[in-house]
Amino acid sequence: MTNSTNPPSKQPPTPTQAAAEKSQATIALGWLHTARFLTTAPQLHFLPELDVPEIAFVGRSNAGKSTCINTLTQQKQLAFASKKPGRTQHINLFALGKQGVTDAVLTDLPGYGYAAVPKQDKIRWQQVMANYLVSRKNLKAIVLMCDPRHGMTELDEILLDVIRPRVEEGLKFLVILTKADKLTRTEGAKVLSITKLQAGGGEVKLFSATKRTGIEDVAQLLWRWAHPEPAATAPASPTPPAA
């Protein structure tokens, strides 16, 4: 008996569609490559007020956040990976935009959850990040790094609860499952499915800097979020004929 619950097989893209997707990926990656250091801040009130879209990267220490940012921007040392995880406790902003014109900002938030960091520092940084995620006016999207071998942790779930009200109001949200090269294809498919349920409507992508998995997909998604298409203008109502 045929299993009616199986989804229809995905049709391969036509040559025209494939070329269009490749062009979009090239544009998105070229845009990300313009990333340049803007400023660093030890506390929220030191951040400059900006009116361009801001995309924040966040995740547990050792989740591969710095590697992901450097891979997406094609720059080896843009995001700093500390030799002592959890010790980098500043909010770092990177400007994006061609010809020196900033049209968006990437925010690198400190990693959280590293056991060797004193408890009082953990609490302070959890408060700083929560305040940032809740109150940053120009924040348009959040990218959460997650090591798929460990899955989403309790701290990741807490972060989801913090941002849920803003997500319901339209804030974009992406979970990047880093280090996907450490998984078999079956394991990758399983953790992708589980994380999609946990993400509650957010996007989920497998990512590997080593095997170049997911780079183009993530780049295009960030590009679209930073450059939303204007809403279509509703057609004017026809003028009734004169009596």
Side-chain angles (χ1 to χ4, degrees):
M1 184 174 67
T2 304
N3 186 351
S4 59
T5 61
N6 288 337
S9 58
K10 185 178 180 180
Q11 296 297 319
T14 65
T16 301
Q17 290 171 331
E21 290 176 2
K22 192 68 177 177
S23 175
Q24 291 169 2
T26 299
I27 291 171
L29 286 168
W31 170 69
L32 284 168
H33 187 53
T34 67
R36 54 205 178 270
F37 178 76
L38 180 61
T39 190
T40 185
Q43 294 286 351
L44 198 60
H45 61 270
F46 287 109
L47 290 176
E49 294 290 333
L50 301 171
D51 59 4
V52 296
E54 200 157 302
I55 300 173
F57 282 70
V58 65
R60 286 178 60 88
S61 299
N62 284 343
K65 178 163 56 68
S66 296
T67 298
C68 181
I69 293 174
N70 290 338
T71 300
L72 287 169
T73 60
Q74 308 118 75
Q75 300 186 44
K76 292 182 179 180
Q77 296 181 328
L78 182 70
F80 176 69
S82 174
K83 294 182 180 179
K84 294 182 178 180
R87 296 294 185 182
T88 307
Q89 297 189 349
H90 281 66
I91 301 172
N92 296 308
L93 302 187
F94 304 104
L96 291 167
K98 294 188 175 181
Q99 297 178 335
V101 178
T102 300
D103 63 9
V105 167
L106 291 185
T107 303
D108 183 10
L109 294 172
Y112 53 82
Y114 192 65
V117 176
K119 184 177 180 180
Q120 61 185 19
D121 288 343
K122 289 182 183 179
I123 293 174
R124 179 173 65 85
W125 270 108
Q126 287 170 10
Q127 291 174 339
V128 170
M129 282 192 287
N131 289 338
Y132 170 87
L133 295 172
V134 168
S135 65
R136 188 68 169 165
K137 293 180 180 179
N138 62 319
L139 183 64
K140 298 301 180 186
I142 294 172
V143 181
L144 171 62
M145 308 289 115
C146 182
D147 187 331
R149 296 170 297 177
H150 306 306
M152 295 189 71
T153 66
E154 182 180 0
L155 287 174
D156 296 326
E157 295 285 356
I158 291 172
L159 183 141
L160 290 184
D161 286 338
V162 168
I163 68 172
R164 197 176 308 279
R166 293 197 70 176
V167 171
E168 292 173 352
E169 294 172 357
L171 183 73
K172 303 298 184 182
F173 178 54
L174 167 66
V175 178
I176 291 183
L177 298 170
T178 60
K179 308 177 185 181
D181 52 286
K182 306 293 185 182
L183 306 176
T184 65
R185 181 172 295 184
T186 301
E187 290 170 339
K190 181 179 179 180
V191 73
L192 187 66
S193 178
I194 291 172
T195 309
K196 283 181 178 179
L197 293 174
Q198 294 174 311
E203 298 272 355
V204 183
K205 301 287 185 183
L206 288 167
F207 189 95
S208 170
T210 303
K211 291 192 174 181
R212 311 291 295 172
T213 303
I215 295 173
E216 292 187 354
D217 286 346
V218 171
Q220 290 181 75
L221 195 58
L222 300 184
W223 163 262
R224 290 198 300 270
W225 285 350
H227 304 85
E229 295 182 1
T233 304
S237 301
T239 304

